[in-house]
Amino acid sequence: MQDLKHTDITYLPGIGPKRAKVLGDELGIHTWHDLLYYFPYKHIDRSRVYMISELTSDMPFVQLKGQFLSFEEQGVGRKKRLVGHFTDGRQVMDMVWFNGTRYITSNIKLHEDYIIFGRPSVFNGHINISHPDVDPADTLVLSKMSMQPYYSVTEKMKKRGFSSRTIEHFTSTLFLQMRDNVQETLPQYLLDRLHLMPLDTALRSIHYPSTADELSHATMRLKFEELFYIQLSILSYSRERSANRQGHRFPVVGNLFNTFYNSYLPFPLTGAQKRVIREMRIDMGSGRQMNRLLQGDVGSGKTLVALMLMLIAIDNGYQACIMAPTEILAEQHLDTFRSFLKDMPVRVELLTGVVKGRRRKAILEGLVSGEVQILVGTHAVIEDNVEFRNLGLVVIDEQHRFGVAQRARLWRKNVVPPHVLVMTATPIPRTLAMTLYGDLDVSVIDELPPGRKPIKTLHIYDNRPEELYRGVRQEINAGRQAYFVYPLVKESEKIDLKNVVAEYEHLQKVFPEYRISMVHGQMKPADKDAEMQRFVSGETQILVATTVIEVGVNVPNASVMVIQNAERFGLSQLHQLRGRVGRGAKQSYCILVTDYELSKDTRRRIQIMTETNDGFEIAEEDLKLRGPGDLEGTQQSGVAFDMKLANLARDGQLVQLARDTAEFVLDQDPQHDRPMNDILWNQLKELRREDEDWSSIS
Ligand code: ADP
Ligand code: MG
């Protein structure tokens, strides 16, 4: 059998060292296998041949059959062009070239049959086609050419004379040269069960399908395979881990939890909060390590859930810690916990990069002795010199900034790893969550605390600031507070972004009667905190900020969020920012201020924001607009197997099918020893080997 992966591309007739180098440098094609997996980005149906009389200038691509009668040079200087008079036997029309003309005149023969392919346009009142594809009619067997593949080539390649047609030539040669069928990568019983094409057929068909239907079957088979192996890898990895990895057993719901629940809780829990707490109590009582993702829109009350779970850990004799992505947030968690717990006998401490010297030493000692029961911190917590007496639960707030590898470091802190709860306010569509965090179980808080009024979101252009100021003044005079958020700190020469500092000064003039705080990324942490604190305590009425406030800041009295240059923010970022208001029972407003000229995508983003408050809907839209590759965290998720065809945003159902199938396989063959699955485990091993990142993750 030919070993395609190890057959160098230069063994293909027509590819010498020079072309091989271009293919390798530009497209990463080094072997026959690479070429086989270089899929066309589209196909054009070439089964139809038109007559000249049928052509109109609004047709996309057309195909004609006929002969050239003569060639003629027209125009002078830069307008010089080559015109070929072409006939289909009934009428005559012009084909036009503006460059490469010598090649045309020396290669195309008059009075012989050619197939012309191109886009009709109108010039001087006549229909013509410029730079058409021209193929001798006898080499192109039209019936076989119904769906012609189009391959992308880079600009550099075009300069070297490569085109889609060149690649087409290579792939067709490849199929002629391949003596054997491509080795199958899925077991026959799965192909049968799911009605999938064999790999060999799928690969031939995705390049050279005879019908659109065949193409879609081939694409589906190959997409499925990509998604399936990712799911199989993630699931088998997490099953192995949960089978092997013991967890602390938290059998009791004790004194602290009950006292808190009965006497300290300032409001009833929402149904969703109760449900997720129950789910996690079951996890933590099972004797296996909990690995759970808690999703909940901004303001859904995740922090409180985390606190109550930590109380369960303490009731069972363990310590707990929570990590926040920024110092401000860590401090806010500390305040929140202390004010929830009041005089309860729980020692909560803060450990961040700014906690130094004697204080730090005391906290570290308290952790070793077990006196510190809850540690609130930033990444500093996972530094190696932080030791716990018996860490039972780790909560990670705002997951996407912590990779799988970082989570793994936490596990190493104990012989028996702590339970891990990852909380995220970035709602991730289910299909994506399944893939990005496939090794985590998922709990969802899909209900906001009662009494919240949906935030009203308005869009205004930046040439009408008076209106904006009037509205803001009204709210502040009614006792509320307002955020003004800007995209950048320093004015950039290229993009005219408002300078936060300048705006701060400007707003002081607009609102001389109010006090204003300012925070931005260039400030010292201590100054930042002090300014923030003034707003939190209500001493200032307006907070002017860059996106440092994006996640987690909680000031229920704030009712206005003004986002300047809203066109510069992504959808999920806008949603996160908006989530800073609407935290009390009062009506809140989010005002998106933009430039007058907006791109189509930006208009769409703004429109979505004004139409819905639903984080999951927004996340789906965001995914559609941006594509999953852009999502923070994709890199660290362990999903490194190549996805050439599948798209997590668009192929949700197929992700589900892949997931279900992987579950099915693992249920049937937990020991990986059933011969009918040999093909799967071998392929998985192969993929994992190719994927170097993977090995460093576990
Ligand atoms: P998240 O972290 O999910 O964005 P928070 O935990 O910051 O949300 O909660 C937002 C606000 O809602 C906080 O002020 C919190 O005290 C309050 N809250 C949480 N749970 C409830 C509840 N069940 N009823 C009323 N208010 C709640
Ligand atoms: Mg939060």
Side-chain angles (χ1 to χ4, degrees):
M1 191 168 269
Q2 283 167 312
D3 181 356
L4 301 176
K5 279 188 183 158
H6 293 103
T7 309
D8 201 275
I9 196 69
T10 48
Y11 286 101
L12 199 71
I15 302 185
K18 268 195 196 146
R19 288 177 134 187
K21 184 166 178 352
V22 175
L23 286 174
D25 291 350
E26 295 297 303
L27 302 178
I29 296 174
H30 304 283
T31 64
W32 283 22
H33 179 270
D34 295 337
L35 179 61
L36 188 60
Y37 278 84
Y38 191 68
F39 301 137
Y41 66 92
K42 68 170 180 190
H43 289 81
I44 287 183
D45 187 351
R46 297 195 61 171
S47 54
R48 172 94 150 85
V49 178
Y50 287 83
M51 300 305 294
I52 292 174
S53 58
E54 293 177 281
L55 301 189
T56 59
S57 61
D58 56 2
M59 289 178 157
F61 285 95
V62 295
Q63 187 163 247
L64 303 163
K65 189 177 176 186
Q67 305 183 342
F68 283 93
L69 301 173
S70 60
F71 285 104
E72 182 188 342
E73 293 217 1
Q74 294 181 350
V76 284
R78 289 182 44 213
K79 288 197 178 149
K80 208 151 101 181
R81 59 191 181 269
L82 176 71
V83 174
H85 302 294
F86 177 85
T87 180
D88 61 2
R90 294 192 189 166
Q91 267 149 322
V92 178
M93 71 178 286
D94 290 346
M95 305 293 155
V96 185
W97 289 266
F98 298 94
N99 48 48
T101 57
R102 174 144 359 122
Y103 179 85
I104 298 298
T105 46
S106 55
N107 280 281
I108 297 180
K109 302 191 182 79
L110 299 180
H111 309 294
E112 287 191 13
D113 277 343
Y114 285 95
I115 301 291
I116 299 289
F117 182 74
R119 189 199 291 274
S121 59
V122 173
F123 181 71
N124 280 347
H126 294 286
I127 290 220
N128 67 22
I129 295 177
S130 48
H131 289 263
D133 287 350
V134 181
D135 292 286
D138 55 353
T139 61
L140 262 188
V141 183
L142 280 174
S143 63
K144 280 201 180 158
M145 276 300 309
S146 53
M147 300 280 281
Q148 187 184 11
Y150 276 73
Y151 298 92
S152 49
V153 292
T154 63
E155 284 307 314
K156 244 196 198 145
M157 295 175 75
K158 286 183 192 155
K159 287 202 190 104
R160 306 260 173 99
F162 280 72
S163 66
S164 168
R165 299 305 286 275
T166 324
I167 310 284
E168 187 187 337
H169 179 71
F170 296 158
T171 54
S172 56
T173 310
L174 177 68
F175 284 117
L176 290 175
Q177 295 282 320
M178 277 166 44
R179 287 191 307 275
D180 320 293
N181 285 357
V182 181
Q183 206 176 352
E184 183 53 61
T185 45
L186 291 172
Q188 188 60 41
Y189 78 94
L190 279 186
L191 298 183
D192 294 343
R193 195 183 148 89
L194 302 169
H195 308 291
L196 296 173
M197 263 185 193
L199 180 62
D200 186 74
T201 319
L203 286 170
R204 288 171 201 271
S205 300
I206 198 166
H207 289 274
Y208 296 100
S210 40
T211 61
D213 200 46
E214 187 184 317
L215 174 63
S216 85
H217 272 95
T219 309
M220 137 96 180
R221 140 83 211 212
L222 295 167
K223 275 185 185 178
F224 174 82
E225 175 168 350
E226 289 176 0
L227 295 167
F228 172 73
Y229 275 105
I230 290 172
Q231 295 300 334
L232 189 67
S233 178
I234 292 171
L235 281 174
S236 64
Y237 165 77
S238 78
R239 284 194 188 199
E240 256 161 61
R241 201 187 57 206
S242 61
N244 297 336
R245 205 180 287 272
Q246 287 192 331
H248 300 295
R249 193 179 194 87
F250 295 176
V252 298
V253 174
N255 235 336
L256 289 174
F257 183 92
N258 286 325
T259 310
F260 180 79
Y261 188 80
N262 295 321
S263 317
Y264 287 75
L265 198 60
F267 31 65
L269 295 177
T270 63
Q273 283 172 319
K274 282 189 199 155
R275 175 171 40 79
V276 300
I277 289 175
R278 210 178 308 128
E279 284 167 358
M280 291 187 261
R281 259 180 44 201
I282 293 171
D283 280 3
M284 296 192 301
S286 72
R288 288 216 240 115
Q289 187 203 13
M290 171 174 83
N291 266 287
R292 201 168 266 279
L293 176 71
L294 177 60
Q295 287 193 33
D297 212 341
V298 275
S300 60
K302 296 185 293 295
T303 316
L304 181 60
V305 167
L307 175 62
M308 294 180 70
L309 292 168
M310 293 201 256
L311 293 180
I312 295 179
I314 301 170
D315 273 337
N316 285 277
Y318 291 89
Q319 294 162 293
C321 91
I322 179 166
M323 287 192 288
T326 67
E327 272 163 21
I328 291 181
L329 280 173
E331 281 165 33
Q332 191 156 29
H333 280 323
L334 179 76
D335 292 346
T336 307
F337 291 164
R338 284 188 173 162
S339 69
F340 269 128
L341 293 168
K342 299 203 182 76
D343 58 354
M344 284 186 68
V346 178
R347 186 163 159 206
V348 187
E349 292 290 351
L350 175 78
L351 191 68
T352 65
V354 291
V355 178
K356 295 214 171 83
R358 290 235 300 278
R359 262 195 71 63
R360 188 178 189 87
K361 192 154 167 276
I363 293 171
L364 292 178
E365 282 168 6
L367 288 169
V368 173
S369 72
E371 280 160 67
V372 174
Q373 292 151 300
I374 294 182
L375 182 69
V376 180
T378 51
H379 305 243
V381 173
I382 59 170
E383 279 168 20
D384 287 325
N385 61 0
V386 179
E387 276 170 43
F388 292 80
R389 196 168 85 94
N390 55 359
L391 181 60
L393 170 66
V394 174
V395 180
I396 302 170
D397 197 3
E398 295 308 335
Q399 139 80 19
H400 51 281
R401 306 185 190 213
F402 281 90
V404 177
Q406 276 170 304
R407 265 190 272 144
R409 286 186 70 182
L410 281 166
W411 304 332
R412 265 179 246 134
K413 285 201 176 294
N414 295 48
V415 184
V416 177
H419 298 296
V420 177
L421 168 63
V422 176
M423 304 200 297
T424 177
T426 309
I428 302 154
R430 223 183 110 66
T431 54
L432 189 61
M434 238 183 246
T435 306
L436 292 187
Y437 313 117
D439 62 328
L440 300 177
D441 297 312
V442 180
S443 288
V444 180
I445 304 187
D446 49 7
E447 180 187 356
L448 291 178
R452 298 262 174 90
K453 289 209 176 64
I455 302 161
K456 286 194 178 139
T457 303
L458 311 169
H459 172 213
I460 63 170
Y461 295 111
D462 56 10
N463 54 359
R464 311 286 297 275
E466 303 78 23
E467 252 173 86
L468 170 67
Y469 299 148
R470 204 168 329 126
V472 170
R473 182 167 277 119
Q474 233 169 40
E475 283 294 301
I476 298 180
N477 286 347
R480 310 280 121 67
Q481 290 164 281
Y483 295 98
F484 278 75
V485 179
Y486 299 84
L488 268 191
V489 184
K490 286 244 169 69
E491 202 159 327
S492 139
E493 282 160 12
K494 286 201 194 103
I495 358 171
D496 179 26
L497 291 178
K498 291 186 180 161
N499 183 319
V500 170
V501 182
E503 271 303 302
Y504 169 69
E505 285 160 9
H506 174 67
L507 289 178
Q508 278 180 324
K509 287 191 199 110
V510 176
F511 299 113
E513 69 272 42
Y514 304 140
R515 282 179 301 275
I516 304 181
S517 296
M518 172 173 67
V519 291
H520 57 71
Q522 316 275 298
M523 287 164 80
K524 288 205 193 87
D527 297 341
K528 205 161 32 180
D529 286 352
E531 280 294 283
M532 206 66 210
Q533 211 42 55
R534 292 202 316 141
F535 186 69
V536 173
S537 69
E539 186 192 327
T540 57
Q541 290 81 39
I542 295 177
L543 176 69
V544 177
T546 53
T547 35
V548 285
I549 66 155
E550 187 184 337
V551 277
V553 177
N554 189 26
V555 183
N557 190 49
S559 66
V560 184
M561 167 62 65
V562 179
I563 306 177
Q564 302 276 16
N565 292 111
E567 67 270 23
R568 308 250 180 238
F569 293 95
L571 251 187
S572 65
Q573 218 178 359
L574 290 172
H575 181 65
Q576 293 293 321
L577 284 169
R578 177 169 61 182
R580 296 309 105 210
V581 296
R583 313 198 127 223
K586 304 283 171 352
Q587 177 63 57
S588 290
Y589 302 90
C590 173
I591 298 159
L592 306 173
V593 185
T594 69
D595 195 12
Y596 195 73
E597 306 229 331
L598 297 176
S599 71
K600 201 167 131 243
D601 272 6
T602 308
R603 279 198 188 283
R604 178 83 192 120
R605 284 206 300 274
I606 304 281
Q607 186 198 357
I608 293 163
M609 284 295 292
T610 55
E611 281 172 2
T612 182
N613 273 304
D614 181 336
F616 282 88
E617 213 174 294
I618 287 173
E620 299 269 4
E621 290 291 342
D622 195 30
L623 200 54
K624 280 188 208 147
L625 283 174
R626 296 195 304 169
D630 255 11
L631 281 187
E632 232 178 316
T634 321
Q635 293 314 315
Q636 9 171 303
S637 63
V639 184
F641 295 166
D642 221 4
M643 272 191 285
K644 286 191 163 77
L645 294 168
N647 175 311
L648 293 174
R650 284 196 304 265
D651 298 321
Q653 287 192 334
L654 214 49
V655 177
Q656 185 69 53
L657 181 67
R659 176 80 164 191
D660 294 345
T661 310
E663 297 256 11
F664 170 81
V665 167
L666 288 165
D667 287 346
Q668 303 293 309
D669 189 5
Q671 301 302 322
H672 302 198
D673 56 5
R674 298 184 59 176
M676 64 182 192
N677 285 330
D678 280 354
I679 222 174
L680 289 180
W681 309 126
N682 288 337
Q683 178 71 2
L684 189 61
K685 224 185 280 166
E686 175 99 344
L687 287 169
R688 283 184 175 174
R689 195 174 27 235
E690 279 170 22
D691 197 53
E692 280 152 292
D693 288 347
W694 185 260
S695 56
S696 62
I697 281 170
S698 61

